[in-house]
Amino acid sequence: MVLDARDIEIPLESHVRYVETGTIGKVIDVRTKDGVEWVMLDKTNLWYRSKLVELLDEKDIKKSTFYDKESDGEVDIEAMKEKARALEDLELDSKVAEGGG
């Protein structure tokens, strides 16, 4: 049994947040080595000490606008490119807005 920072059991396939950076991922593996409990996250394929992650409720998991809801969490590359193009076309001008004061 692997426990999170709040001493709540972390089941496989659950979602957790790494408290140091806010990285969120699904737990794809757990292990205990030399008395230390670890969880592996799908987003990074890295091991995290279980005492440094928090188990999340489904309502705590924010979906990115770049994810296609119908493709089971796959990243929508075209949406990302479109957003990048929109930011490239942004024109900065000092006459656009005035400061309050």
Side-chain angles (χ1 to χ4, degrees), residues 5-69:
R6 297 173 292 183
D7 291 327
I8 300 171
E9 183 178 357
I10 304 172
L12 280 175
E13 303 294 316
S14 62
H15 287 85
V16 296
R17 176 187 309 119
Y18 180 54
V19 295
E20 298 291 321
T21 61
T23 301
I24 294 175
K26 182 169 43 170
V27 176
I28 57 174
D29 199 2
V30 296
R31 73 175 177 189
T32 302
K33 185 173 183 180
D34 298 328
V36 179
E37 299 170 338
W38 299 86
V39 295
M40 180 183 272
L41 302 186
D42 66 336
K43 300 289 183 193
T44 60
N45 282 326
L46 296 174
W47 289 97
Y48 296 83
R49 290 184 67 160
S50 70
K51 289 296 185 181
L52 297 177
V53 300
E54 297 176 319
L55 187 64
L56 298 176
D57 291 330
E58 192 68 33
K59 64 181 171 62
D60 296 329
I61 303 166
K62 293 182 181 178
K63 298 292 183 185
S64 169
T65 58
F66 295 123
Y67 286 97
D68 181 0
K69 294 178 178 97

Side-chain angles (χ1 to χ4, degrees), residues 81-93 96:
K81 288 180 182 177
E82 185 177 320
K83 181 81 165 179
R85 280 192 293 273
L87 290 173
E88 286 174 359
D89 293 338
L90 186 67
E91 185 176 323
L92 298 177
D93 191 344
V96 174

